[in-house]
Amino acid sequence: MNIDTRKRELVKELSPMLEKSSLLSKIWIISLISIILVGLYAFILQLSNGHEVTGMRDNVVWGIYIVNFIFFVCLSYSGAFIAGVLHFFETPLKNSIARIVEITTVLSLIIGPVFILLCIGRLDRLYYLFLYPRIQSPISWDIIAILTDLIGCFVYLYLTFIPDLAILRDASKENAEVPKWRKKMYKFLAIGYQDTPTQHERLHKIIRIMSVMIIAMAIVAYSVLAWIFSLTVQPGWNSSIFAPYFIISGLYSGIAVIIIAMYIIRKFYKLEKYITKIHFFAGGVILLIFSLLYGYFTFSEYFSRWFSHKKHDVDLLNTLFSRYFWQFIFANYFGILMPIAILFFKKLRTVKLVTIAAIISVLGIWLNKYLIVVPTLETPYLPIQDTRAEFVHYSATWVEYSLSLTGIAAFCLFFTLILKFVPAIPMSGIIDLEKRKQLKRKKDNQLATEL
Amino acid sequence: MKSNLFKYTKITAFLAVLLFSINSNAQEKDASNYDMSFEFKTIKQDDNSRLLEANFNGKNIEDRKDIIPMFNAEIKFFNVLNEEEVLLGTAKTSKEGIAQFTLPENQKYLTDENGNINLIARFEGNDAVAESSAEIIVKNIKLALNLEEIDSVKTVLVTAFTFDESGTEIPLEETDVIIYVQGMFSKMKIAEGTISEGAFEFEMPTDLPGDSNGNLTVFSIIEGNEQYGTVIQKKNIKWGVFQKQIKENQNTLWSSAAPVWMYVVLTILLVGVWANYIYTIINLFKIKKEGQDIELETES
């Protein structure tokens, strides 16, 4: 196999997705930008009028912003975890999904913390957090963990991009259709990578170390996020299993989002050759394992609260089974049992059904996070003086929904734009795999000749 | 718990209504499930006044743990001698089912030839709840508490006397007494002893902290004695050795700094992670340098 020829072939095969701007993709991008613009208006409204325009009040100081924050940050940590595992163990499925996982990780880690900023009533005092940090506060730990993890994930994403950027740089040299700025960008970001044995070895060594590091960082950061809740004495939050519970639920949602992203990218970019049914089948099996684990943790969490008969825990469970009855049923019964029912049977693990199971899982997890945050704040230890219904109970306003949708739209928009710059399938990974196969064949032939 | 409280309030209110109702068959039927319990005690307080206390409850016949206090029941307190009955006062039961009445120090009592005072607490009953009463017989005693430093020894001196018909003091014999000091929430027992020949002496510990000014409140109490009831005496004295707490609480919400181990762990973690980032960047520069060298070679 001539490597240069193969690289050119891959660029030819995968580069149309970088250049093509179909009508559909244009409509897609315009729709996303429109949602973001509405969100921007909602943000200006919130900035000028304060939290009055949201459903957050004295009692329920956290609403769907914090739910989105947990969801996106968990998604990112699970992405980092999965990306690290894929690279470290050199799994055969790595090539097709690694890039999707890495982009998901970084984007969700950029978007997630923005929601925390939306929760802060006085954004003008944000710098106080850095001027007067309290190291003993889990919130400070979370800021440190998120910032460190964000940098780590950026570096990791960039490292995995380098070989492909080098391929694209070489391929775009002779291609007049590629704009000048893009050529310059490829050249700058490829940092002179020529895929020499020394460069290859060096790069893969640091990617390997980073992959181990981001697995560890993801676990630490996940736990810190859970501790923001579990280190308080609030009913529903004060739990010793919250950290592993968050890790499991994060991985569950992460795998589900990756399956959904795989489905969309496969369909939109026609990548059936690379993202095959086997990927969905394997994804379905992993999702099944995590849905069982997640279901077990959810059951343990609520069962111990129910059995303890502690007054405030019982009050919380009463709220969950009265005011939030259907949400609770959807999040913790339908959202867990339905994916299990679909994925349990081998025959049902088709591309579409696995994706549907993943969508149900994502919705269930989001709702589960909502039920962790809001009902607890609605059942405080001390009653507040002004007990107007809107002060005690929380319901999100259009501003909050709009900004939440903006987060999702921004995630999709950045994903789309990144895929316009680098292919969804890492070309260098395919070449490496083919090289290894060729080497193995050579060795086998040599062995056969010797025998 | 919430439902129990609800039940508690409901039944208490129900019994209160029941107490003053005349024509209610259904209520009478429910009250029959409860046995009425009436307890009576007297406490001679440190100012020599006498507290009369009656405790009036309804106990469920089937579930003995279900005790409902009688609320707003009028209790009459009497001093009795033979056929003569003197009303001392009346009091209504509180939400806890307790009625209290205090007799002043100079209260004159009817006493028998041995100096015994016969006291009766009585609920006269109505259509729903039957009459209940309880009786106690106590002797009036004089309990004195003296706190003195004798040869630099902080000494607690308790003296106790009863009186005969002519008012002569008779020293108490073989009567248990307990010495307490007042704590923040309750009394702390520091000695137990027996009054003999009308006196009990006890050496006070020298390491009790007291309040912020070093003041101690010392109690001598004869508790629930068959003959005398409960008798209390107390005195304040500056015998405490208060010392400001010099040990700072570790890691509180209001601590200005986190515990040292937290800084150490955080530093190790961050140094470990950032060292790896730096290592990665150094390697990226090496990759870049090699790429530049190859480019230069190709150009030349």
Side-chain angles (χ1 to χ4, degrees):
Chain A
M1 179 186 72
N2 186 312
I3 291 170
D4 288 334
T5 320
R6 183 67 185 127
K7 278 179 184 172
R8 270 196 292 275
E9 274 172 17
L10 281 171
V11 171
K12 211 176 174 185
E13 192 182 346
L14 296 166
S15 61
M17 63 187 283
L18 308 179
E19 287 157 14
K20 187 178 87 177
S21 267
S22 65
L23 184 67
L24 190 66
S25 75
K26 277 176 188 164
I27 293 170
W28 169 244
I29 290 171
I30 289 167
S31 319
L32 294 174
I33 291 171
S34 310
I35 295 169
I36 293 168
L37 287 175
V38 175
L40 207 63
Y41 170 68
F43 176 67
I44 292 165
L45 213 62
Q46 184 179 312
L47 205 63
S48 52
N49 295 350
H51 276 188
E52 191 193 34
V53 296
T54 70
M56 293 184 282
R57 292 291 181 270
D58 279 10
N59 249 25
V60 185
V61 289
W62 283 347
I64 57 170
Y65 291 153
I66 203 85
V67 177
N68 295 331
F69 163 72
I70 302 167
F71 183 80
F72 273 107
V73 170
C74 273
L75 184 62
S76 152
Y77 294 156
S78 73
F81 192 93
I82 297 163
V85 170
L86 286 173
H87 268 280
F88 189 74
F89 294 104
E90 292 285 344
T91 47
L93 304 176
K94 185 192 93 174
N95 279 337
S96 308
I97 57 167
R99 183 142 297 153
I100 297 171
V101 177
E102 287 148 9
I103 297 171
T104 306
T105 303
V106 174
L107 286 183
S108 46
L109 201 54
I110 294 168
I111 289 162
V114 174
F115 282 106
I116 260 282
L117 300 180
L118 298 176
C119 271
I120 298 170
R122 293 291 302 264
L123 269 175
D124 53 313
R125 292 181 183 171
L126 184 68
Y127 66 97
Y128 280 19
L129 209 58
F130 302 95
L131 279 185
Y132 314 107
R134 287 178 62 76
I135 297 299
Q136 58 267 58
S137 161
I139 300 218
S140 301
W141 308 346
D142 203 31
I143 290 168
I144 295 168
I146 287 174
L147 287 176
T148 314
D149 202 38
L150 184 65
I151 294 163
C153 287
F154 255 125
V155 172
Y156 181 70
L157 182 74
Y158 175 59
L159 292 179
T160 58
F161 273 18
I162 290 173
D164 273 15
L165 290 168
I167 294 171
L168 290 164
R169 174 201 60 201
D170 297 341
S172 63
K173 264 181 197 167
E174 296 137 22
N175 192 343
E177 281 177 32
V178 178
K180 245 185 179 180
W181 66 266
R182 186 174 273 211
K183 283 182 186 175
K184 273 185 183 174
M185 191 75 99
Y186 285 144
K187 195 183 175 191
F188 175 73
L189 291 173
I191 55 159
Y193 186 78
Q194 303 286 347
D195 205 18
T196 63
T198 357
Q199 281 183 325
H200 187 274
E201 197 188 327
R202 205 185 283 279
L203 184 67
H204 281 261
K205 188 175 77 184
I206 51 177
I207 287 180
R208 214 170 150 75
I209 295 171
M210 278 299 286
S211 67
V212 178
M213 181 143 278
I214 62 165
I215 294 173
M217 280 199 311
I219 292 173
V220 172
Y222 254 136
S223 306
V224 167
L225 182 63
W227 287 337
I228 288 182
F229 295 91
S230 67
L231 296 186
T232 68
V233 289
Q234 291 273 34
W237 293 358
N238 187 229
S239 161
S240 58
I241 63 161
F242 242 42
Y245 185 36
F246 264 50
I247 291 177
I248 297 295
S249 71
L251 285 172
Y252 182 45
S253 62
I255 290 158
V257 168
I258 287 159
I259 289 173
I260 298 167
M262 264 162 55
Y263 181 83
I264 297 168
I265 289 165
R266 178 181 192 254
K267 202 90 182 152
F268 190 76
Y269 294 114
K270 297 186 174 45
L271 291 173
E272 286 83 355
K273 187 182 161 189
Y274 295 98
I275 305 172
T276 62
K277 283 178 184 172
I278 297 164
H279 289 98
F280 283 89
F281 186 85
V285 172
I286 298 167
L287 193 65
L288 173 66
I289 294 165
F290 276 97
S291 60
L292 288 166
L293 275 170
Y294 173 67
Y296 170 65
F297 268 81
T298 306
F299 173 75
S300 302
E301 180 63 20
Y302 285 110
F303 180 70
S304 58
R305 288 194 189 288
W306 171 74
F307 205 76
S308 72
H309 284 90
K310 280 195 278 181
K311 187 187 178 298
H312 289 91
D313 280 348
V314 172
D315 285 351
L316 176 69
L317 287 176
N318 285 340
T319 311
L320 288 172
F321 276 101
S322 52
R323 196 170 136 77
Y324 292 101
F325 182 78
W326 289 111
Q327 289 95 318
F328 190 84
I329 294 295
F330 185 87
N332 298 320
Y333 288 82
F334 191 72
I336 298 170
L337 297 177
M338 198 63 187
I340 292 175
I342 294 172
L343 301 168
F344 191 77
F345 300 101
K346 200 175 172 183
K347 274 190 179 175
L348 295 179
R349 283 181 219 140
T350 60
V351 175
K352 273 185 185 162
L353 282 176
V354 167
T355 311
I356 288 169
I359 292 168
I360 296 169
S361 308
V362 169
L363 294 174
I365 290 264
W366 189 90
L367 213 50
N368 173 277
K369 298 280 182 280
Y370 185 89
L371 294 178
I372 286 175
V373 175
V374 176
T376 289
L377 293 171
E378 285 183 342
T379 46
Y381 280 120
L382 292 173
I384 59 166
Q385 288 184 335
D386 191 344
T387 49
R388 272 178 282 172
E390 67 269 29
F391 270 52
V392 180
H393 299 301
Y394 168 81
S395 54
T397 61
W398 77 266
V399 171
E400 287 167 281
Y401 283 123
S402 166
L403 282 166
S404 301
L405 282 175
T406 300
I408 299 167
F411 179 86
C412 297
L413 181 68
F414 290 138
F415 212 120
T416 313
L417 293 179
I418 290 174
L419 290 187
K420 285 201 164 291
F421 192 69
V422 281
I425 308 296
M427 297 177 290
S428 56
I430 296 167
I431 290 167
D432 281 348
L433 187 73
E434 286 173 1
K435 264 192 211 169
R436 275 202 300 275
K437 277 183 184 167
Q438 201 177 25
L439 204 70
K440 195 174 173 285
R441 264 202 303 273
K442 249 185 200 174
K443 273 184 186 171
D444 289 346
N445 288 341
Q446 216 171 358
L447 206 69
T449 325
E450 280 172 16
L451 284 170
Chain B
M1 196 168 183
K2 195 179 177 180
S3 59
N4 282 344
L5 267 175
F6 182 62
K7 184 183 163 192
Y8 177 88
T9 322
K10 202 176 173 183
I11 296 178
T12 310
F14 164 71
L15 281 175
V17 172
L18 187 76
L19 206 58
F20 300 102
S21 66
I22 302 165
N23 303 314
S24 178
N25 294 329
Q27 286 170 346
E28 276 172 25
K29 194 183 168 189
D30 275 351
S32 65
N33 292 331
Y34 287 85
D35 264 351
M36 303 322 289
S37 141
F38 200 82
E39 286 165 20
F40 181 34
K41 64 178 179 181
T42 176
I43 301 163
K44 190 165 184 191
Q45 301 177 123
D46 58 282
D47 58 355
N48 288 319
S49 63
R50 183 175 289 280
L51 178 78
L52 305 176
E53 186 179 296
N55 200 336
F56 198 17
N57 293 308
K59 281 184 185 169
N60 195 319
I61 296 164
E62 286 168 9
D63 179 9
R64 302 304 289 176
K65 285 178 188 170
D66 180 17
I67 300 170
I68 307 298
M70 289 293 285
F71 172 53
N72 218 22
E74 191 180 69
I75 310 294
K76 289 182 175 171
F77 297 98
F78 297 95
N79 182 195
V80 183
L81 182 65
N82 303 325
E83 296 304 310
E84 195 182 345
E85 208 171 60
V86 177
L87 179 68
L88 298 170
T90 59
K92 286 193 172 178
T93 53
S94 64
K95 282 177 184 169
E96 289 77 35
I98 296 169
Q100 289 183 328
F101 188 77
T102 307
L103 299 167
E105 186 184 357
N106 56 6
Q107 175 72 40
K108 300 287 177 205
Y109 298 98
L110 299 173
T111 56
D112 63 13
E113 61 277 14
N114 298 320
N116 291 323
I117 308 167
N118 192 350
L119 298 166
I120 290 177
R122 185 182 298 145
F123 168 65
E124 292 186 334
N126 59 18
D127 288 352
V129 182
E131 186 195 315
S132 290
S133 67
E135 181 184 8
I136 47 172
I137 298 169
V138 289
K139 261 186 184 172
N140 201 11
I141 66 164
K142 186 184 169 189
L143 183 72
L145 173 68
N146 288 305
L147 306 170
E148 289 173 24
E149 273 197 47
I150 304 167
D151 296 333
S152 303
V153 176
K154 288 166 180 161
T155 311
V156 177
L157 284 165
V158 180
T159 52
F161 302 94
T162 56
F163 305 92
D164 64 10
E165 251 179 306
S166 61
T168 316
E169 287 183 351
I170 305 163
L172 241 65
E173 290 292 345
E174 299 302 318
T175 307
D176 291 337
V177 66
I178 303 171
I179 310 295
Y180 291 95
V181 288
Q182 183 65 54
M184 185 179 279
F185 299 109
S186 62
K187 297 182 186 77
M188 183 177 78
K189 189 189 280 184
I190 53 166
E192 251 178 298
T194 307
I195 298 170
S196 171
E197 294 176 8
F200 170 71
E201 201 175 300
F202 163 69
E203 193 182 318
M204 190 76 173
T206 52
D207 57 350
L208 294 173
D211 66 9
S212 56
N213 297 318
N215 290 318
L216 277 176
T217 305
V218 183
F219 289 85
S220 62
I221 302 178
I222 296 171
E223 278 182 344
N225 188 283
E226 278 183 11
Q227 276 185 291
Y228 315 115
T230 298
V231 186
I232 301 171
Q233 257 316 328
K234 72 167 183 180
K235 257 192 184 151
N236 292 323
I237 194 156
K238 209 166 180 171
W239 279 357
V241 283
F242 182 82
Q243 284 181 322
K244 275 194 177 167
Q245 201 176 4
I246 45 167
K247 192 186 156 203
E248 269 187 37
N249 283 325
Q250 299 294 311
N251 189 28
T252 54
L253 271 178
W254 50 90
S255 304
S256 55
V260 176
W261 66 263
M262 210 174 262
Y263 289 106
V264 173
V265 171
L266 191 72
T267 311
I268 291 170
L269 282 174
L270 287 177
V271 166
V273 172
W274 280 92
N276 182 56
Y277 291 170
I278 293 164
Y279 175 74
T280 304
I281 290 162
I282 291 169
N283 273 288
L284 283 177
F285 273 109
K286 282 181 182 169
I287 290 170
K288 191 177 180 182
K289 196 175 176 299
E290 197 186 329
Q292 280 170 342
D293 290 347
I294 293 167
E295 244 178 75
L296 280 174
E297 268 175 38
T298 324
E299 278 170 20
S300 61

